[in-house]
Amino acid sequence: MKFTKLLTALFLGLSITAKTEVKLPNIIGSNMVLQQNTDVRVWGSASKNAKVEITVSWRSDTISVQTDKHGKFLAQIPTGSYTFEPQTITFTDVSDKKEITLTGILIGEVWLASGQSNMQMPLKGFPGCNIKDGVEEIMFSDNESNRIRFFTVPSKHSYNLEEDVNAVWTIPSANTATEYSAVAWHYAKALSHALGCPVGIVSAAYGGTLVESWMNKELLEKHGVSTKKEDIENVKWEYEKVLLPYNAMFWPIHNFTYKGIIWYQGCSNVGKHKTYYQRLKDMIQLWRNDIALGDIPFYMVEIAPYNYGSGDAPFLREVQFKVANEVKNSGLVTTSDLALPQELYNIHPCNKKPVGQRLAAMALNKTYGKEMFVASGPVYKEIIIEGKEAFVGFENLQMGICSNYMIEGFEVAGEDKVFYPADNVWLRWQTNHVVVSSQKVEKPVAVRYCFKDFAHGTLYGGGMIPAYPFRTDNWDDVK
């Protein structure tokens, strides 16, 4: 009996005096990329009210931080310029000398890639949906092993804010690259080679999600969207549940230090363009506030050409364009020329390389000041009617309009609001007006370009960047 009491007392004593070892969220891990030339945030937990010392291989000083009453800490580490040489970070709980060391760290540029399935779609493709040249990219991915790192957040739901995700930083290889977002992969490759520095991608995309899926409770309620657990659980499709991906996928990684965000989402909001406009703007502001690094770049991709069946897709693209032009430090990449004719019923077009590279060109121009890259294509400016012809003028013409292609994608309508494909399109190169007409329209009133659910356009500006879809009318009832 006395022996049992003694063992109990010893056990209790050990429990009281036991120390908590340093713990870090998975995103603060070996093989990560840290944003260069800034103070990056690192966080974790250790003993309560303890001193944690942080030493890094690229600096001689020691950074000290105190944990709070819950044992949590947050510190900032100056990074300096980029390096391809693997670095280390050691975290030490001074109270018990327990430490953890991270290895294989690179310093460069870090971007968050998010949205729905066209951002999530991996290099290996989806069942029934291939990625063009995806197998080749996977086979030779280790060519980028010294310059690119990926942290892929698994698709997950949570009604409560999560602190961590089940993921690790990986180095490109045939074994790891299969799961990399194809768009983000091509973005990272282009950016890394153009800038000559490492690039880290944090990929947090979930197929089918609404813009409301990536909002917090307060913002959803502001927009009149119910956040009651029973209402969310009663939604038929998992991917259309609001709030839950924000809690489970964005919140655990929001504290990481990013240069900017690339975003490919909107298909699930087709038909809801009237609410999408303000909700997308508010979501961008929410994320920027949460990340707390100012108005960091937010570069979007236009929703893919696809037979949505409603005729509403062009109206959502129009909203995306409007948001990109109104929100500071943002932009929109168009995809109107990328879907193949046979992909009418494929919402996941196979050609992801140009998407990633156009995003990279936009970032290189607007974020990194490399103006030799064209950030965006021709933008509709004016329409002048002369007889049977409509003269359509454009702005944002750094290198004019490319006239070496048959220009496709235009439609013309008269006062009856019936649109017909343009059967005569030519460029008046002296003024960069595209002249559009149709034998079926005696007196043109309106012109549209790629303003359909699924359309293919070949109007290019410099850098082979296509014109944005547009309409000259305000006929919301005409689809």
Side-chain angles (χ1 to χ4, degrees):
M1 185 70 174
K2 289 182 178 180
F3 181 70
T4 302
K5 289 183 178 180
L6 179 60
L7 284 176
T8 302
L10 286 171
F11 176 77
L12 290 173
L14 287 171
S15 299
I16 293 171
T17 59
K19 301 293 184 180
T20 303
E21 64 183 46
V22 178
K23 292 183 179 178
L24 303 169
N26 287 325
I27 196 169
I28 307 296
S30 293
N31 301 317
M32 65 180 169
V33 179
L34 296 178
Q35 178 60 40
Q36 66 173 325
N37 296 321
T38 191
D39 293 334
V40 298
R41 295 179 296 228
V42 295
W43 66 98
S45 63
S47 303
K48 298 178 182 179
N49 301 311
K51 181 180 179 182
V52 174
E53 291 185 342
I54 305 170
T55 57
V56 300
S57 57
W58 63 91
R59 293 176 63 89
S60 58
D61 57 338
T62 298
I63 298 168
S64 297
V65 63
Q66 192 82 15
T67 63
D68 62 17
K69 62 181 180 180
H70 303 292
K72 299 182 182 298
F73 69 87
L74 172 67
Q76 293 186 318
I77 304 174
T79 53
S81 186
Y82 73 88
T83 178
F84 289 98
E85 291 296 323
Q87 305 295 314
T88 62
I89 304 178
T90 297
F91 298 81
T92 304
D93 185 336
V94 176
S95 63
D96 61 6
K97 301 301 180 183
K98 289 187 176 181
E99 65 181 34
I100 183 171
T101 298
L102 307 179
T103 60
I105 298 165
L106 303 181
I107 297 174
E109 295 296 302
V110 182
W111 286 76
L112 172 58
S114 189
Q116 56 182 114
S117 55
N118 271 307
M119 181 64 84
Q120 181 187 16
M121 192 175 184
L123 285 171
K124 70 178 183 181
F126 285 144
C129 300
N130 291 314
I131 291 287
K132 184 180 179 182
D133 301 325
V135 173
E136 181 180 359
E137 291 293 332
I138 294 168
M139 285 178 175
F140 297 100
S141 59
D142 64 350
N143 289 339
E144 312 298 326
S145 61
N146 68 326
R147 58 172 62 240
I148 293 176
R149 300 286 186 272
F150 260 74
F151 185 88
T152 301
V153 178
S155 299
K156 187 182 175 184
H157 281 166
S158 176
Y159 190 73
N160 300 306
L161 292 173
E162 297 287 331
E163 293 188 357
D164 204 357
V165 293
N166 184 23
V168 296
W169 286 92
T170 60
I171 300 172
S173 72
N175 293 321
T176 60
T178 56
E179 303 299 330
Y180 292 170
S181 158
V183 168
W185 169 255
H186 287 294
Y187 179 78
K189 280 181 65 177
L191 211 61
S192 177
H193 285 279
L195 295 175
C197 72
V199 170
I201 296 291
V202 177
S203 178
Y206 190 153
T209 47
L210 301 159
V211 71
E212 294 86 355
S213 305
W214 301 98
M215 295 179 176
N216 67 7
K217 190 171 185 284
E218 292 72 25
L219 184 55
L220 286 166
E221 291 175 352
K222 172 188 170 183
H223 283 282
V225 179
S226 174
T227 60
K228 293 181 180 178
K229 193 170 185 179
E230 56 270 27
D231 290 339
I232 295 175
E233 289 177 347
N234 285 334
V235 173
K236 180 179 180 181
W237 304 110
E238 288 291 311
Y239 54 78
E240 289 192 339
K241 293 183 176 180
V242 303
L243 175 67
L244 308 187
Y246 172 91
N247 288 346
M249 297 177 64
F250 172 75
W251 186 254
I253 62 168
H254 81 278
N255 231 2
F256 205 68
T257 304
Y258 304 100
K259 184 69 173 184
I261 302 165
I262 54 174
W263 173 260
Y264 196 167
Q265 187 276 336
C267 294
S268 290
N269 285 92
V270 168
K272 305 170 185 176
H273 49 275
K274 291 182 180 179
T275 59
Y276 189 77
Y277 165 72
Q278 192 60 50
R279 292 180 184 186
L280 178 59
K281 290 181 70 174
D282 288 351
M283 192 221 78
I284 294 171
Q285 191 59 54
L286 170 67
W287 279 32
R288 285 174 169 174
N289 290 344
D290 287 343
I291 292 172
L293 293 170
D295 293 327
I296 61 174
F298 193 96
Y299 298 138
M300 299 171 278
V301 182
E302 194 177 76
I303 60 169
Y306 171 71
N307 182 25
Y308 294 89
S310 62
D312 287 321
F315 297 100
L316 190 124
R317 294 188 189 103
E318 192 174 55
V319 166
Q320 290 180 310
F321 180 81
K322 186 177 180 181
V323 170
N325 280 273
E326 292 181 359
V327 173
K328 181 181 178 182
N329 208 13
S330 65
L332 179 68
V333 165
T334 183
T335 62
S336 59
D337 62 325
L338 296 182
L340 301 174
Q342 63 268 31
E343 292 184 312
L344 175 63
Y345 297 101
N346 180 12
I347 203 168
H348 306 119
C350 67
N351 200 4
K352 293 293 190 285
K353 183 176 181 179
V355 181
Q357 291 183 340
R358 287 174 185 176
L359 282 167
M362 180 171 285
L364 289 165
N365 180 301
K366 299 180 69 171
T367 300
Y368 299 103
K370 295 187 176 296
E371 296 183 359
M372 69 285 286
F373 296 100
V374 178
S376 54
V379 175
Y380 167 72
K381 179 183 179 181
E382 63 180 356
I383 181 171
I384 301 169
I385 305 298
E386 294 184 6
K388 293 184 178 181
E389 295 180 317
F391 291 74
V392 183
F394 295 86
E395 55 190 0
N396 196 42
L397 298 175
Q398 301 95 325
M399 297 176 65
I401 290 176
C402 181
S403 59
N404 296 325
Y405 298 86
M406 290 183 62
I407 301 176
E408 301 174 357
F410 280 95
E411 294 181 296
V412 189
E415 292 181 354
D416 60 0
K417 298 184 180 181
V418 178
F419 280 92
Y420 297 94
D423 49 33
N424 189 22
V425 182
W426 55 281
L427 176 68
R428 178 190 274 177
W429 61 267
Q430 297 94 332
T431 59
N432 273 321
H433 279 90
V434 176
V435 187
V436 182
S437 64
S438 170
Q439 294 181 11
K440 295 184 178 180
V441 181
E442 285 295 318
K443 186 179 179 181
V445 172
V447 170
R448 290 181 173 184
Y449 174 73
C450 287
F451 206 79
K452 288 180 171 292
D453 281 358
F454 185 93
H456 181 75
T458 58
L459 179 63
Y460 293 97
M464 282 296 291
I465 306 297
Y468 291 99
F470 67 88
R471 57 174 173 160
T472 66
D473 62 87
N474 59 358
W475 304 334
D476 291 351
D477 58 329
V478 178
K479 300 179 182 179

